Amino acid sequence: MPLESSTRIARELAGRGYNADPEAVTLIAGAEDPEAILAAAVDATPADALVVETDVVKDVLATQAAANRENGESEDPTVSTGDGGAVGSSQTAVAPEAEGSVSGMAAADAGGESGPATGPGDDVAGGSAVADRANRSTANRDLEILGDITGESTGTGDYSDFVEMFRDRYERLSKKLRGRVTHRPTNRLESDPGGEAAIIGMVDDVRSTANGHWLIDLEDFNGTFPVLITKDRAIADQVDELLTDEVIAVEGTIADDGGILFVDELHFPEVPRTFQPSTADRHVQAALISDIHVGSQEFEADAWNRFADWLHTEEAEHIEYLLIAGDMVEGVGVYPDQDEELSIVDVYEQYETFAEHLKAVPADVEIVMIPGNHDAVRLAEPQPAFDEELREIMSAHDARITGNPSTVEIEGVSFLLYHGVSLDEMIAELPEEKANYDEPQKPMYQLLKKRHVAPQYGGHMRLAPEKEDYLVIDEVPDVFHTGHVHKLGYGKYRNVLAINSGCWQAQTDFQRSVNIDPDVAYAPIVDLDTLDVTIRKFR
Ligand code: D5M
Ligand code: FE
Ligand code: ZN
């Protein structure tokens, strides 16, 4: 994967669980082979460290330069030869459903039949014609929280918890694949050389052979079995989507010596093609937002106030629900040098100020919120909801406070809320056309396909082992809502509406130094009766 810019490097590091020091990022970006330097710097950083330090990168660069001298190579960067066939490959076509990101919003407008996907031009007029909403009835309201770790956490962090969690993941995801294949346990394959067989397994390792074929080790609770996907097969195109620890099924023929399976078909747990979302039986809307980051100097209070004022207007009279997918506050000590950009240094004061901002939202709007990686709960996922002390601080609006991830059913429409830290990792691991920051809905599609919100454990995704794997997407949601990457994008994957909301924090110094360009102050609004999306802009 080419690592052309600082942005990509910073996010690649984030994907591997490391925070980035801006100077380290610049050094890596300026290297002759950024990818190799990044890999070496990660290797040289202890696994439990949070930050890739500038000094480590300097050491790696010095070692590299010394090695080059020894090999008699010039230290001058040679002209890049590019990456051959990939040159000029453009983005894949926009899905037929309404789909949008800020840069690609025109496509959504031109998209034709489905959905009044309004462009971002709907600036809200300054004066707020506050409607008399007193007669808005709440009698039809219906909101139920379904999947939530809060209060259920049993994990002790022991090795045995990991085993139980992976067993639960395997069992639940293999159930979704069993309808499509008749699988055999990995220890019952060798005895049938030349036979046809299927395996359901957790991906243990993916590597390419000397001839360019793919060798994948699949694991179940009986052992591990190698399977081979030859490069000339159409399914070889999907090998680059595989992540370690995800559960897949393969079908094929066992080799004559019984030692390997030649794969003909590859299956993911998937959203069934026939999936039809449920809708509400009245016209009611939900606003989906995330990443407010109160306490950061870059929190856009004016934009927030315009949003809150607008919620009081007639135009917003059907918005009865507000879903917030994490990062309410900026927190403290989340990233290196973060304290230099705090406007409020005490995390409890940050929540108090956030609570004040919430009060500007009409009192009869039902609010649901989950925590993110900046919030004051454990970082490892699943994250339980805010504790009593924080709930108390935020009690004025009587919001529904639940864990990350959670499923919330609103008037018959199920919403899977997940903050989205794994999106960094998905984007770092998968090819650009399948997952990128400008179209954050695409890595969300991958999570739906894999039926897991954070499939890969091997990277540095922080996971807390529980007896159950709360991160499995057991039921297909009607709407999947994430945040975290501070980019707006939405679209449909097999009829599931995926929305990544933007943020309410302007570009930070760090983001500027690595060219991360956030989508600030947008509110995607979902019609619960049609699942159409309208984007509103408040900046
Ligand atoms: O992160 C917002 C986005 O920016 C997310 O894609 C991670 C990335 N980010 C932000 N700051 C850093 C640092 N210091 N290192 C690496 N990646 C970073 P959020 O966590 O929501 O603020
Ligand atoms: Fe955030
Ligand atoms: Zn975040």
Side-chain angles (χ1 to χ4, degrees):
M1 199 179 316
L3 281 170
E4 52 310 290
S5 68
S6 308
T7 318
R8 191 130 190 109
I9 289 160
R11 301 195 118 152
E12 188 98 12
L13 285 170
R16 296 174 191 211
Y18 293 106
N19 296 332
D21 186 319
E23 199 187 336
V25 172
T26 312
L27 284 172
I28 297 173
E32 187 179 338
D33 182 353
E35 193 152 359
I37 298 299
L38 184 142
V42 166
D43 279 348
T45 300
D48 57 351
L50 288 172
V51 185
V52 171
E53 305 282 357
T54 310
D55 285 346
V56 169
V57 178
K58 283 184 180 158
D59 284 350
V60 166
L61 284 167
T63 312
Q64 182 88 1
N68 285 352
R69 268 196 301 278
E70 221 153 84
N71 296 336
E73 283 172 23
S74 143
E75 269 180 66
D76 295 333
T78 46
V79 177
S80 161
T81 53
D83 49 4
V87 175
S89 76
S90 58
Q91 290 157 319
T92 46
V94 178
E97 295 86 352
E99 173 157 2
S101 56
V102 171
S103 49
M105 206 66 80
D109 277 343
E113 33 166 329
S114 60
T118 311
D122 309 287
D123 273 304
V124 174
S128 56
V130 177
D132 172 19
R133 295 165 39 128
N135 46 14
R136 182 156 83 171
S137 156
T138 56
N140 294 317
R141 295 272 175 91
D142 178 26
L143 189 155
E144 196 187 340
I145 290 172
L146 301 171
D148 176 17
I149 168 78
T150 311
E152 307 291 329
S153 178
T154 53
T156 55
D158 275 3
Y159 175 73
S160 64
D161 288 337
F162 276 101
V163 175
E164 271 198 73
M165 183 188 70
F166 280 118
R167 184 180 292 273
D168 183 62
R169 173 184 304 194
Y170 178 82
E171 269 161 18
R172 289 205 276 158
L173 292 177
S174 66
K175 233 180 249 168
K176 305 192 189 306
L177 290 156
R178 263 179 247 159
R180 274 175 282 160
V181 300
T182 310
H183 76 292
R184 276 193 245 172
T186 49
N187 58 350
R188 301 235 309 270
L189 293 159
E190 249 166 89
S191 56
D192 184 18
E196 307 258 296
I199 306 174
I200 297 179
M202 210 174 264
V203 175
D204 205 34
D205 188 34
V206 181
R207 55 196 182 276
S208 63
T209 69
N211 301 327
H213 304 307
W214 297 99
L215 198 54
I216 301 160
D217 288 331
L218 289 182
E219 188 177 353
D220 64 10
F221 283 93
N222 299 289
T224 303
F225 202 82
V227 307
L228 190 87
I229 297 183
T230 49
K231 62 180 173 199
D232 48 308
R233 295 250 164 200
I235 50 168
D237 289 348
Q238 296 193 56
V239 172
D240 61 14
E241 289 177 18
L242 293 178
L243 297 174
T244 45
D245 305 320
E246 73 171 306
V247 178
I248 59 166
V250 295
E251 292 175 276
T253 313
I254 304 168
D256 289 337
D257 68 359
I260 196 167
L261 181 105
F262 299 111
V263 180
D264 297 321
E265 303 266 3
L266 170 64
H267 305 275
F268 291 88
E270 272 293 5
V271 173
R273 280 184 194 283
T274 51
F275 176 73
Q276 285 300 333
S278 305
T279 51
D281 40 18
R282 65 179 182 123
H283 182 54
V284 57
Q285 299 178 311
L288 277 48
I289 61 167
S290 65
D291 299 276
I292 305 169
H293 291 266
V294 171
S296 157
Q297 287 169 15
E298 282 79 20
F299 163 59
E300 295 260 305
D302 291 348
W304 177 268
N305 291 336
R306 276 192 290 276
F307 170 55
D309 284 350
W310 176 75
L311 287 174
H312 289 270
T313 68
E314 212 146 1
E315 229 178 354
E317 68 176 329
H318 297 295
I319 301 180
E320 300 192 24
Y321 300 95
L322 174 65
L323 312 185
I324 315 180
D327 285 359
M328 312 296 141
V329 301
E330 176 65 10
V332 293
V334 181
Y335 288 129
D337 296 332
Q338 187 202 22
D339 45 333
E340 290 164 22
E341 289 192 64
L342 291 179
S343 63
I344 305 170
V345 296
D346 179 282
V347 74
Y348 289 98
E349 277 172 40
Q350 293 180 356
Y351 281 100
E352 275 157 23
T353 308
F354 169 67
E356 289 305 311
H357 286 293
L358 264 195
K359 286 184 196 161
V361 171
D364 66 348
V365 169
E366 286 269 6
I367 301 177
V368 181
M369 43 189 184
I370 64 165
N373 57 314
H374 283 254
D375 285 300
V377 305
R378 82 169 178 208
L379 192 55
E381 297 177 13
Q383 295 180 289
F386 300 119
D387 65 15
E388 275 313 317
E389 192 172 1
L390 293 173
R391 276 171 203 257
E392 190 56 38
I393 293 174
M394 295 184 279
S395 61
H397 214 295
D398 201 21
R400 307 291 287 260
I401 291 176
T402 174
N404 171 39
S406 279
T407 298
V408 180
E409 196 171 295
I410 304 177
E411 304 201 18
V413 181
S414 63
F415 287 78
L416 171 59
L417 268 55
Y418 170 61
H419 178 59
V421 168
S422 71
L423 297 175
D424 282 328
E425 181 145 356
M426 300 295 288
I427 294 170
E429 294 284 326
L430 300 182
E432 173 94 33
E433 73 275 11
K434 291 178 182 174
N436 64 73
Y437 284 103
D438 289 325
E439 297 164 298
Q441 67 274 25
K442 286 193 174 170
M444 298 177 75
Y445 298 167
Q446 291 285 333
L447 298 177
L448 288 165
K449 182 172 183 173
K450 299 173 190 307
R451 298 288 291 268
H452 199 282
V453 298
Q456 181 157 291
Y457 169 67
H460 287 76
M461 262 300 303
R462 289 174 178 80
L463 285 191
E466 298 287 345
K467 288 203 165 41
E468 272 173 51
D469 187 346
Y470 284 84
L471 307 179
V472 168
I473 304 176
D474 229 341
E475 300 285 332
V476 177
D478 301 318
V479 184
F480 182 24
H481 173 201
T482 60
H484 181 62
V485 295
H486 294 205
K487 294 298 258 182
L488 173 71
Y490 65 95
K492 283 196 177 158
Y493 180 73
R494 297 196 169 181
N495 286 330
V496 178
L497 175 60
I499 300 187
N500 195 82
S501 35
C503 61
W504 298 83
Q505 181 187 35
Q507 193 181 46
T508 62
D509 280 350
F510 171 82
Q511 290 168 344
R512 191 169 311 112
S513 74
V514 298
N515 277 320
I516 292 177
D517 184 19
D519 292 330
V520 186
Y522 290 93
I525 313 291
V526 179
D527 287 3
L528 298 192
D529 49 341
T530 59
L531 301 188
D532 284 337
V533 178
T534 315
I535 306 296
R536 292 279 170 178
K537 188 177 186 216
F538 297 94
R539 187 185 191 226

